[in-house]
Amino acid sequence: MASTQRTLAVQTLLQSQAANVHGFFIARFLPKVEMVWRKNMNARRLYIQANNGKVYPYLLTNDVSMTESWREERVLQLFRMINQLLNKRKETARRFLQFYAPKVVSISPQMRLIEDNPTRISLLDILHQSCCQEDIEPEQAVSYYYDRLAIIQCRRGEGSQEGILREIFTEIQQSVVPGYVLKNWAVNTYPSAMDFWAFRRQVTGNLATMNIAEFVLHLSSLGPDQMQLARDTGLLSAAFYRFEVNDTTGELDCNRPVPFRLTPNLSSLLSPLGLQGSLSAAMVACSRCLVDAKFNFPSYLQAILKDEIVAWHKRKQLQEAPLELPENLASEAMISAVLKASGLIMTRLQNLAQYEDGQSQVTTLLQAASSLDNLSRMDPSWHPWF
């Protein structure tokens, strides 16, 4: 009887010939399906057993909007290309710096299989667990924010907006969500000093690449529900990245109160020495790798940005004239937009890569990201206190 074999979604993403030769195939689907809730998305977790005996969990997702899933795919393609460059440079390879790029298989235009880890837990779930242990409502911090904002504004009239927001932020930290919640969870999860040190080292490297992705590549800002911690490996990952493109102009949007996510709880977990030492050095090393002329990173970047700008142009035309067939973007306009976007990204990379006399722009960014004045201006649903 003839039999067919289906390769598992791993080797097609690797460039090594040895990986393709020693690839493995799907043996069977285990009779176990779990329902998973991830970032406003319902998915089914399937367990696939390969012919090497290992079991690989994958999420089966049904994407309502194909356009948004394609935008995520473009970012993952860019991450995979960047990871190959990071492996070729000494300073990034020895720190094991890699952008998280899960393996994805398209089953149909609206269905995908996404690599998963059942031990993952989001930062928002950690916050909810801590609130339940303290007999506090999970959304009490957000409710407290709006209640205090209304009371203070009525008492003081207009007042100073910055002072009001900072006062509310400080009260939430003192009474609802203190700055040591995440660190306490990590200490309880990894009671061994060696395990805790390895976990914090892994989180520091992953957070460095996330900071580069948000600030330099102008990707979407990460909320606590998007950041996932794998309890078995300590891997801090973030999915559902997209380029922040202005809907009107098509340019990369960079207007944010904070350059990336570095809340008081994350700062407490990494410690001041980790922020100014390991995290800062990892961000500088990653920036220097990408600005290396021999890697020719702008050519990778421009190929991805071209697709993003073309997709934005089609979305804009469909919004303005839904019944008409979208026209192609003019070549001169497309080239100009791509060069402008890639130039903005490369300028930020070059500024971060400069390190002279012990001074770097990375230090300034870390201070801006952890500043209470800047964090208090963020939307409360972003949970800037956690």
Side-chain angles (χ1 to χ4, degrees), residues 332-347:
E332 295 78 8
M334 181 175 60
I335 293 174
S336 176
V338 170
L339 292 179
K340 183 176 181 180
S342 63
L344 181 60
I345 292 176
M346 293 307 300
T347 300

Side-chain angles (χ1 to χ4, degrees), residues 78-94:
L78 180 60
F79 282 173
R80 294 185 188 106
M81 291 186 288
I82 293 177
N83 288 340
Q84 295 181 9
L85 304 182
L86 295 177
N87 286 330
K88 296 178 181 179
R89 191 174 177 91
K90 176 183 176 182
E91 291 301 320
T92 53
R94 74 183 185 90

Side-chain angles (χ1 to χ4, degrees), residues 20-231:
N20 292 327
V21 172
H22 301 288
F24 42 89
F25 301 88
I26 295 176
R28 67 187 184 113
F29 287 83
L30 299 183
K32 180 181 180 182
V33 179
E34 300 173 348
M35 296 300 299
V36 181
W37 174 260
R38 292 277 177 84
K39 192 183 177 293
N40 301 327
M41 174 190 69
N42 278 323
R44 295 177 177 86
R45 180 182 289 133
L46 308 179
Y47 291 87
I48 305 175
Q49 185 176 13
N51 59 354
N52 60 354
K54 294 183 179 180
V55 176
Y56 298 87
Y58 276 79
L59 290 181
L60 179 63
T61 64
N62 190 356
D63 301 314
V64 178
S65 174
M66 292 186 294
T67 304
E68 296 302 319
S69 62
W70 291 341
R71 295 183 64 187
E72 297 168 6
E73 288 286 345
R74 279 192 285 270
V75 176
L76 292 180
Q77 290 176 8
L78 180 60
F79 282 173
R80 294 185 188 106
M81 291 186 288
I82 293 177
N83 288 340
Q84 295 181 9
L85 304 182
L86 295 177
N87 286 330
K88 296 178 181 179
R89 191 174 177 91
K90 176 183 176 182
E91 291 301 320
T92 53
R94 74 183 185 90
R95 290 182 171 89
F96 303 102
L97 295 181
Q98 292 282 287
F99 287 85
Y100 175 71
K103 301 169 182 64
V104 181
V105 182
S106 295
I107 304 299
S108 69
Q110 292 184 336
M111 297 186 67
R112 295 184 298 170
L113 279 174
I114 304 176
E115 183 184 19
D116 187 43
N117 186 340
T119 65
R120 284 196 186 120
I121 181 173
S122 69
L123 296 187
L124 187 61
D125 291 336
I126 295 176
L127 176 60
H128 287 178
Q129 288 180 5
S130 175
C131 291
C132 292
Q133 293 175 359
E134 300 294 334
D135 293 331
I136 299 176
E137 290 294 329
E139 299 300 329
Q140 181 173 340
V142 179
S143 302
Y144 185 89
Y145 176 91
Y146 286 113
D147 293 341
R148 290 293 297 154
L149 182 62
I151 294 174
I152 293 177
Q153 286 181 340
C154 292
R155 187 180 65 211
R156 298 182 180 179
E158 294 296 332
S160 172
Q161 186 71 14
E162 292 76 10
I164 293 174
L165 295 178
R166 182 183 175 90
E167 179 180 345
I168 297 175
F169 187 91
T170 305
E171 292 177 359
I172 292 176
Q173 276 196 298
Q174 293 175 351
S175 59
V176 184
V177 184
Y180 50 80
V181 173
L182 183 59
K183 183 176 181 180
N184 287 351
W185 174 87
V187 171
N188 294 331
T189 306
Y190 306 97
S192 170
M194 182 178 296
D195 292 341
F196 179 75
W197 178 86
F199 165 77
R200 189 163 61 177
R201 180 176 181 272
Q202 179 70 39
V203 169
T204 302
N206 298 143
L207 193 61
T209 57
M210 290 182 182
N211 295 345
I212 293 293
E214 281 193 57
F215 176 72
V216 175
L217 301 179
H218 295 77
L219 299 184
S220 52
S221 181
L222 292 177
D225 57 331
Q226 296 172 268
M227 302 179 69
Q228 309 280 335
L229 272 170
R231 283 167 284 190

Side-chain angles (χ1 to χ4, degrees), residues 123 126-127 130 169 173 177-185 261-271 375 383-386:
L123 296 187
I126 295 176
L127 176 60
S130 175
F169 187 91
Q173 276 196 298
V177 184
Y180 50 80
V181 173
L182 183 59
K183 183 176 181 180
N184 287 351
W185 174 87
R261 187 175 188 89
L262 190 60
T263 57
N265 270 268
L266 286 173
S267 300
S268 175
L269 174 64
L270 300 185
S271 77
L375 287 171
H383 293 277
W385 39 80
F386 183 71

